[in-house]
Amino acid sequence: MNKFNKFAAAAVAFALAAASTSCGAPEAITFGKSSQTALTVDGYDVPAGVFIFNEIYAYNSARYELYSKNGQMPSMDDVENATFESKGALEWIQDKATEACREFVANEKEFEKIGGELSPEDLAEVKDVLAANISDTSYSANGVGEASLRKVIENSYKSDVVFKHYYGIDAEKGCSEDELKKYYQDKTTRVKYFTISLVDENGEQYGPDEKRILNKMADEYVNDINSQTSNEKKLKKIEECEEKYKEYVDKRAAEAAEKAAKEAGETVTTTTTTTTTAPSGTTTTTTVDPFAKEVLVTKYTTTVAEENDDATATTTTLSAEQEAAKKSQQDYNDYLFNKLSDYKAEKYKYDDDTIYVVIKADIKERMTEDDLWSKNAIDSLLSERYYKDFQDMMKGIAEGLSVKRNNTAYSRYSPFKLELKSE
């Protein structure tokens, strides 16, 4: 939530710049006294620049919706003549902009209600985002001045403060740090593994003899790993086993190439590797990430899949091959979380073509401030767990705010009167 909210303004700026190219240099929009305020939300006067900013965002959303539907970027006329949710484009875009302005005011009011303050770091970031975007003439050309742009950017940071007030650690609607840790531990695991392929370089299945050899090798690797006297040594041993397997594969490939060359009557060349030793007295310092070869795996849930399906308008039909691949992924995920014990290496048949040698480690051992339990990681988890609830809460607050539109401003700043014509 933090990254999205804090840099939403920058993302919109990019969309605006991409969509707002015009053939000539536009004249800057100026506000008359009758249209300086676009609307009043529960007594809060929303500046025209803030309304136009949200209007342009809604216009770009309409363009993207048509692009997704038709496969090509629409012209302004295409957008103007289209229908969205049974509404004409003008009505739909301005309704969306109005809704965004209500949410803007809801953030402002809630921020004031809780006595919120932006930190020096927040203010510095606001300044940086503003500086990065204020030079874009798309804003001034369409009436979004520096003051309005600053308000939009600051509002997203205020939203972050409100979120943490209600859904942060030990907050009213949030959870304790221990509860958040358990939430993370329940859905995340760490593994090391390597694959043993049962097919050759042409994708053809090996014969029974070669498969027996490979399965025996996998069993030996597993035994070697589990014979180690500490968990740390087991995690190190699986890397050594992977290197042994790679050496076997390279040797087999070299022998096959040599055999093919001899059969073709070609000259066989060998490659000699020379190792150079550093001069005595030379010190080489190498920083090694102890977790570089680990993989963090997130628990598969049908809830996530169903939410993603609901978010798409069309249903994708998978081929038999894709269905099989999906089932392999889900079965492996279930195996990791529900069947494989920590620090016990096992051989796992992923599919007909692949064997895994895999070991799972305790995720709790990496939950430190300088690793998986940093401030950014905590913020990200809180967002993942509660941001939907926060959105619903703020939407409810926004819907309870009265709106009085300035019809003069709405007419003057119609999206189809702005400098949005694409080349």
Side-chain angles (χ1 to χ4, degrees):
M1 188 275 297
N2 297 353
K3 288 185 178 179
F4 175 80
N5 252 8
K6 289 184 176 181
F7 298 101
V12 175
F14 178 82
L16 176 59
S20 300
T21 56
S22 65
C23 297
E27 292 185 12
I29 289 179
T30 56
F31 299 135
K33 289 184 178 180
S34 63
S35 56
Q36 288 179 338
T37 297
L39 66 159
T40 300
V41 179
D42 209 53
Y44 183 103
D45 292 337
V46 179
V50 172
F51 171 72
I52 294 170
F53 183 95
N54 287 311
E55 195 176 40
I56 293 170
Y57 186 92
Y59 171 82
N60 285 333
S61 297
R63 290 191 78 202
Y64 182 75
E65 185 170 322
L66 290 179
Y67 171 77
S68 299
K69 179 180 179 181
N70 301 324
Q72 60 183 20
M73 190 59 71
S75 66
M76 176 175 277
D77 288 341
D78 292 333
V79 178
E80 188 170 10
N81 294 322
T83 299
F84 303 89
E85 298 175 358
S86 301
K87 295 181 181 179
L90 175 61
E91 181 184 5
W92 186 87
I93 290 170
Q94 293 199 322
D95 282 354
K96 288 293 183 183
T98 303
E99 180 182 335
C101 287
R102 289 174 76 177
E103 293 171 357
F104 171 93
V105 174
N107 280 328
E108 294 289 322
K109 286 183 172 291
E110 203 63 25
F111 183 79
E112 182 179 355
K113 175 184 174 182
I114 67 172
E117 292 183 1
L118 295 182
S119 69
E121 292 78 14
D122 287 339
L123 293 172
E125 287 187 23
V126 168
K127 183 178 179 181
D128 290 342
V129 175
L130 180 63
N133 292 283
I134 195 61
S135 60
D136 190 336
T137 56
S138 302
Y139 292 116
S140 58
N142 286 302
V144 184
E146 180 175 343
S148 292
L149 190 56
R150 180 186 293 277
K151 284 181 180 293
V152 171
I153 298 169
E154 285 185 345
N155 187 264
S156 68
Y157 281 77
K158 290 177 180 179
S159 175
D160 187 38
V161 172
V162 175
F163 172 81
K164 289 178 180 176
H165 175 83
Y166 287 109
Y167 291 96
I169 296 295
D170 295 327
E172 176 185 336
K173 299 175 183 290
C175 63
S176 68
E177 186 169 2
D178 285 344
E179 288 171 329
L180 191 65
K181 283 182 177 180
K182 186 175 187 309
Y183 168 78
Y184 181 71
Q185 292 162 7
D186 287 345
K187 76 180 193 68
T188 314
T189 191
R190 49 187 280 236
V191 300
K192 275 189 173 182
Y193 75 100
F194 66 91
T195 62
I196 294 178
S197 178
L198 300 179
V199 297
D200 62 21
E201 59 275 8
N202 298 316
E204 299 293 331
Q205 286 270 342
Y206 286 121
D209 291 341
E210 180 65 15
K211 284 185 177 181
R212 275 193 292 271
I213 292 173
L214 293 170
N215 271 283
K216 183 179 178 181
M217 288 171 59
D219 291 334
E220 290 173 351
Y221 293 148
V222 167
N223 290 335
D224 285 348
I225 296 166
N226 288 330
S227 68
Q228 302 304 303
T229 56
S230 70
N231 295 334
E232 183 179 358
K233 289 180 180 179
K234 290 179 181 180
L235 296 177
K236 180 64 177 176
K237 191 66 176 180
I238 193 172
E239 295 182 23
E240 296 174 4
C241 291
E242 181 178 11
E243 288 302 315
K244 287 182 180 179
Y245 172 67
K246 288 180 178 178
E247 289 173 4
Y248 172 80
V249 171
D250 291 342
K251 180 181 178 182
R252 186 178 57 197
E255 290 173 348
E258 181 178 354
K259 180 180 178 181
K262 286 181 178 180
E263 291 176 351
E266 298 174 357
T267 302
V268 179
T269 58
T270 57
T271 302
T272 302
T273 302
T274 303
T275 303
T276 303
T277 304
S280 177
T282 301
T283 302
T284 303
T285 302
T286 304
T287 302
V288 179
D289 179 358
F291 310 116
K293 294 190 175 182
E294 286 189 5
V295 177
L296 297 179
V297 181
T298 301
K299 191 172 188 177
Y300 174 84
T301 62
T302 54
T303 302
V304 172
E306 289 167 358
E307 287 177 355
N308 290 338
D309 288 343
D310 291 341
T312 56
T314 58
T315 302
T316 303
T317 302
L318 301 179
S319 66
E321 184 177 342
Q322 290 171 324
E323 286 285 1
K326 180 179 179 181
K327 186 176 186 306
S328 294
Q329 293 170 358
Q330 293 175 357
D331 288 347
Y332 180 58
N333 190 276
D334 177 67
Y335 163 77
L336 292 179
F337 280 92
N338 300 318
K339 299 174 184 176
L340 183 62
S341 302
D342 286 353
Y343 298 110
K344 179 186 177 183
E346 290 188 5
K347 179 178 73 174
Y348 178 81
K349 186 177 180 181
Y350 184 80
D351 57 28
D352 291 339
D353 298 338
T354 313
I355 293 172
Y356 284 176
V357 174
V358 59
I359 187 169
K360 183 170 72 170
D362 186 353
I363 192 69
K364 294 189 290 294
E365 294 175 0
R366 289 189 57 183
M367 295 182 68
T368 60
E369 290 183 3
D370 58 351
D371 191 9
L372 296 180
W373 205 243
S374 65
K375 180 180 181 301
N376 286 341
I378 292 172
D379 287 346
S380 179
L381 278 171
L382 287 170
S383 171
E384 176 186 303
R385 188 173 186 182
Y386 294 118
Y387 189 51
K388 177 62 168 60
D389 293 340
F390 174 65
Q391 283 183 311
D392 291 342
M393 183 189 83
M394 294 306 298
K395 183 177 180 181
I397 293 173
E399 289 175 347
L401 302 179
S402 61
V403 174
K404 183 179 180 181
R405 299 189 184 197
N406 180 344
N407 292 329
T408 299
Y410 272 64
S411 175
R412 182 173 184 180
Y413 308 126
S414 162
F416 304 108
K417 294 179 181 178
L418 301 178
E419 293 293 337
L420 298 174
K421 292 183 179 179
S422 57
E423 293 180 326

